[in-house]
């Protein structure tokens, strides 16, 4: 009897496939990184065909390592890097251009032109998002405007658009031979093209961006059967039954089902979500209003989100661009070689600043340098940047929700760094809690898929399976907390106004 759920986690730097059992435990997994393509300063791309090849390979690895076959699966769930934009030809299955990644800043001029006299919040009441380089809609417009022949093909009905969830599902269910073109409400809510209230595409915004509605996937719930794996694929005949954007998947996997419950994911960037229930809460403090999840025919659940562009990717930058460390975990040892940051503050505005500032003109700065500062201080400042940015988002969340968070549930790769987790608790002044199963993003997608086919009965099973792994209590003196945070805020202002009109 089939007794497992497979989750595919298509992330910014890698694609993973993880097999989960009924207790929500990892049985085994496979993972492959894909190339990060940087054609120009501020541009970030992925090869969608490489992602599709890697997806098939990691599914094979996970099943083989778990010593099972696809017939042992009840369902497949997908979670994905959101906003990363793929446009492909539905007749050939070939992308017309590389995937334009969420971190990419090339669409700043498009965002400015769309904003016009009405400003960056022109569409915010409709879609919950400010006009920024982050979201998918302007990226689609860029591809149609800049790839030869793309607009004509799009207007002829030959091109499809999706975030990487749609790209994978279309391929997994048959591609050019009957592939299903769908997305879920959480991914649709990151395009700038969806009405938050009706969960439908907004023809006026799509028209403003010059995006034919025929390109857009059908919007579905986060937990239902969308189609089955193609006959010659890795999961033939198995229902593909769950889709959640990666941050919403982590929220689901962390069992944040009650209003006011929040989680923070530490990955390439950081993303904090707080459940606002069935209420659409507009933000007055630089947060995004987004979908948390929608289970089948149930009412949609909304969230406020604070998105931070660069956290884990700053550590990768120290490793790959500067050669300061040879592996990401090594940063903790280097940072531990000093007692504090030595007065150095690192604002990693490599893709501008996201929440709560939304400054596309910002760029990264390292400030407070003296002859005293060494490699250890810079490593520490890089880690502390993650915690400081999280504090800024938490302050905004407390202000918008009217509820002060009493503890923060955390997940993602960086939570293995105990120095960072302790500093995070110190700078927030609230406990930080890590779950036993840290892979909550993949787990959330698995739960969504399993609930759709009756493998799990619903949210209560997720709550019952969740268990605390470790807790960090704040230990920093309150005056020291506010002093160092004040200096951080000062450092942030030094990153503003860097990009001029004639900047590349």
């Amino acid at each position: 009897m089939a007794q497992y759920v497979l989750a595919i986690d298509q992330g910014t730097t890698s694609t993973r496939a993880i097999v989960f059992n009924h207790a929500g435990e990892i049985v085994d997994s496979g993972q492959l990184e894909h190339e990060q393509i940087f054609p120009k300063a501020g541009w970030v791309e992925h090869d969608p065909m490489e992602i599709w090849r890697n997806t098939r390979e990691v599914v094979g690895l996970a099943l083989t390592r778990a010593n099972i076959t696809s017939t042992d699966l009840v369902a497949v769930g997908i979670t994905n890097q959101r906003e990363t934009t793929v446009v492909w030809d539905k007749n050939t299955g070939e992308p017309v251009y590389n995937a334009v990644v969420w971190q990419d800043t090339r669409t700043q001029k498009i965002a400015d032109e769309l904003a016009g006299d009405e400003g960056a919040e022109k569409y915010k009441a409709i879609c919950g998002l400010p006009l920024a380089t982050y979201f998918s809609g302007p990226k689609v417009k860029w591809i149609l405007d800049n790839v030869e022949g793309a607009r004509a093909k799009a207007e002829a009905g030959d091109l499809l658009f999706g975030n990487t969830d749609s790209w994978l599902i279309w391929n997994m269910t048959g591609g050019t031979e009957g592939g299903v073109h769908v997305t879920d409400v959480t991914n649709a809510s990151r395009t700038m093209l969806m009405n938050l209230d009706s969960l439908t595409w907004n023809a006026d915004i799509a028209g403003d961006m010059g995006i034919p509605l025929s390109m857009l996937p059908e919007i579905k719930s986060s937990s239902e059967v969308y189609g089955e794996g193609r006959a010659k694929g890795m999961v033939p005949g198995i229902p593909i039954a769950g889709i959640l954007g990666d941050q919403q998947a982590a929220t689901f996997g962390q069992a944040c089902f009650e209003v006011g419950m929040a989680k923070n994911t530490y990955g390439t960037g950081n993303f904090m979500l707080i459940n606002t229930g069935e209420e659409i809460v507009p933000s007055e403090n630089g947060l995004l209003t987004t979908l948390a999840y929608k289970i089948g025919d149930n009412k949609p659940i909304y969230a406020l989100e604070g998105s931070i562009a660069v956290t884990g990717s700053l550590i990768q930058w120290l490793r790959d661009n500067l050669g300061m460390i040879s592996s990401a975990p090594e940063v903790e040892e280097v940072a531990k070689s000093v007692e504090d940051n030595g007065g150095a503050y690192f604002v990693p505005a490599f893709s501008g600043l996201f929440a709560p500032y939304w400054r596309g003109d910002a760029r990264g700065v390292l400030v407070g340098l003296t002859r005293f500062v060494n490699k250890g201080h810079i490593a520490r400042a890089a880690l502390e940047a993650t915690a400081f940015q999280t504090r800024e988002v938490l302050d905004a969340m407390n202000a918008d929700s009217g509820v002060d968070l009493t503890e923060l549930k955390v997940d993602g790769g960086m939570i293995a760094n105990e120095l960072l987790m302790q500093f995070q608790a110190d700078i927030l002044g609230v406990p930080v809690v890590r779950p036993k199963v840290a892979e909550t993003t993949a787990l959330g997608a698995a739960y969504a898929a399993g609930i759709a086919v009756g493998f799990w009965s619903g949210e209560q099973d997720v709550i019952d399976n969740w268990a605390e792994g470790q807790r960090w209590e704040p230990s920093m003196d309150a005056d020291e907390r506010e002093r160092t945070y004040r200096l951080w805020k000062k450092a942030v202002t030094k990153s503003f106004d860097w990009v001029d009109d004639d900047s590349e």
Side-chain angles (χ1 to χ4, degrees):
M1 185 176 163
Q3 54 190 333
Y4 303 103
V5 176
L6 177 73
I8 295 168
D9 180 357
Q10 201 301 291
T12 307
T13 57
S14 71
T15 305
R16 287 183 296 183
I18 303 181
V19 177
F20 290 97
N21 63 20
H22 194 267
E25 298 162 337
I26 294 172
V27 179
D28 224 313
S29 64
Q31 180 172 4
L32 283 173
E33 290 194 1
H34 53 264
E35 186 185 359
Q36 306 296 309
I37 303 164
F38 306 108
K40 293 183 183 179
W43 292 31
V44 190
E45 297 176 2
H46 296 154
D47 176 358
M49 296 304 285
E50 182 189 12
I51 286 173
W52 171 226
R53 285 192 303 273
N54 285 0
T55 300
R56 285 174 286 171
E57 194 171 334
V58 296
V59 168
L61 283 170
L63 296 178
T64 303
R65 289 169 179 171
N67 202 27
I68 63 172
T69 68
S70 61
T71 57
D72 294 305
L73 301 174
V74 294
V76 178
I78 290 180
T79 181
N80 59 295
Q81 51 167 327
R82 309 164 306 168
E83 303 95 15
T84 293
T85 300
V86 188
V87 174
W88 69 97
D89 188 318
K90 70 180 185 184
N91 304 307
T92 66
E94 294 285 330
V96 301
Y97 189 78
N98 276 339
V100 181
V101 179
W102 58 271
Q103 302 156 306
D104 190 288
T105 59
R106 77 185 69 182
T107 54
Q108 186 62 55
K109 283 185 176 150
I110 290 174
D112 293 342
E113 284 164 13
L114 286 165
D117 295 334
E118 293 166 80
E121 303 210 338
K122 180 177 180 178
Y123 304 124
K124 200 170 179 190
I126 299 168
C127 67
L129 313 173
L131 270 159
T133 60
Y134 184 20
F135 307 108
S136 315
K139 298 181 196 295
V140 179
K141 176 173 167 53
W142 187 93
I143 290 172
L144 297 183
D145 287 348
N146 289 278
V147 175
E148 192 177 344
R151 185 162 293 285
K153 276 188 174 181
E155 286 168 359
D158 290 331
L159 296 189
L160 301 178
F161 147 72
N163 294 343
T164 58
D165 62 312
S166 300
W167 167 244
L168 290 185
I169 288 179
W170 186 80
N171 279 295
M172 289 175 73
T173 54
T176 56
E177 297 173 14
V180 177
H181 189 218
V182 296
T183 191
D184 88 304
V185 293
T186 66
N187 275 287
S189 75
R190 315 302 291 196
T191 60
M192 297 206 77
L193 301 171
M194 189 186 81
N195 299 299
L196 272 180
D197 52 1
S198 62
L199 310 182
T200 55
W201 296 121
N202 185 293
D204 292 337
I205 300 177
D208 288 352
M209 295 188 189
I211 299 170
L213 292 175
S214 60
M215 293 180 71
L216 305 180
E218 188 180 351
I219 301 173
K220 300 278 198 176
S221 81
S222 310
S223 178
E224 62 179 274
V225 177
Y226 314 106
E228 294 181 345
R230 63 196 172 95
K232 292 183 180 174
M234 295 301 303
V235 288
I238 304 302
I240 298 167
I243 311 172
L244 286 160
D246 51 11
Q247 305 313 320
Q248 286 90 342
T251 307
F252 202 81
Q254 285 270 40
C256 293
F257 300 133
E258 291 178 31
V259 174
M261 292 182 85
K263 69 87 209 177
N264 197 28
T265 297
Y266 296 72
T268 303
N270 263 38
F271 304 88
M272 192 188 296
L273 271 78
I274 187 167
N275 184 325
T276 63
E278 294 173 14
E279 186 184 357
I280 299 172
V281 178
S283 173
E284 304 295 326
N285 294 282
L287 303 180
L288 310 176
T289 304
T290 195
L291 265 290
Y293 56 88
K294 183 181 187 300
I295 300 304
D297 295 329
N298 295 350
K299 287 187 175 178
I301 301 299
Y302 294 89
L304 283 168
E305 174 175 327
S307 312
I308 302 166
V310 177
T311 54
S313 54
L314 175 57
I315 308 308
Q316 288 178 319
W317 183 83
L318 294 180
R319 180 192 69 191
D320 300 340
N321 291 42
L322 298 192
M324 243 178 74
I325 50 176
S326 57
S327 68
E330 194 186 319
V331 75
E332 184 171 11
E333 287 310 307
V334 177
K336 276 183 177 171
S337 69
V338 293
E339 288 183 16
D340 54 34
N341 63 19
Y345 289 81
F346 204 147
V347 183
F350 296 166
S351 299
L353 286 170
F354 285 11
Y357 298 100
W358 300 105
R359 296 286 298 247
D361 62 0
R363 285 298 177 267
V365 295
L366 180 54
V367 297
L369 299 183
T370 61
R371 287 287 298 273
F372 173 69
V373 171
N374 63 30
K375 184 165 110 170
H377 296 116
I378 291 172
R380 198 167 186 116
L383 287 177
E384 289 182 356
T386 295
F388 284 128
Q389 290 180 99
T390 298
R391 162 77 187 267
E392 291 187 302
V393 166
L394 186 73
D395 287 353
M397 214 160 258
N398 287 342
D400 270 339
S401 67
V403 180
D404 283 357
L405 214 65
T406 55
E407 66 175 31
L408 185 64
K409 286 183 172 182
V410 299
D411 53 68
M414 291 182 86
I415 66 170
N417 189 312
E418 303 212 0
L419 182 72
L420 171 60
M421 290 297 99
Q422 183 58 55
F423 187 77
Q424 186 68 87
D426 287 344
I427 213 69
L428 295 180
V430 299
V432 167
V433 183
R434 179 168 79 189
K436 223 169 217 170
V437 178
E439 299 294 348
T440 53
T441 303
L443 184 56
Y447 281 137
I451 287 169
V453 298
F455 185 65
W456 287 293
S457 58
E459 285 99 321
Q460 191 56 50
D461 280 350
V462 182
I463 294 165
D464 292 345
N465 282 349
W466 190 92
E468 183 174 312
Q470 194 167 350
R471 175 179 289 260
W472 289 268
E473 297 284 348
S475 60
M476 185 182 279
D477 173 75
D479 289 344
E480 175 60 14
R481 176 186 303 134
E482 294 316 309
R483 182 193 73 83
T484 189
Y485 186 49
R486 183 189 79 240
L487 289 169
W488 161 261
K489 299 283 272 189
K490 190 174 172 182
V492 171
T493 65
K494 307 301 180 191
S495 73
F496 295 166
D497 296 315
W498 191 257
V499 178
D500 296 327
D501 289 341
D502 60 352
S503 298
E504 270 292 324

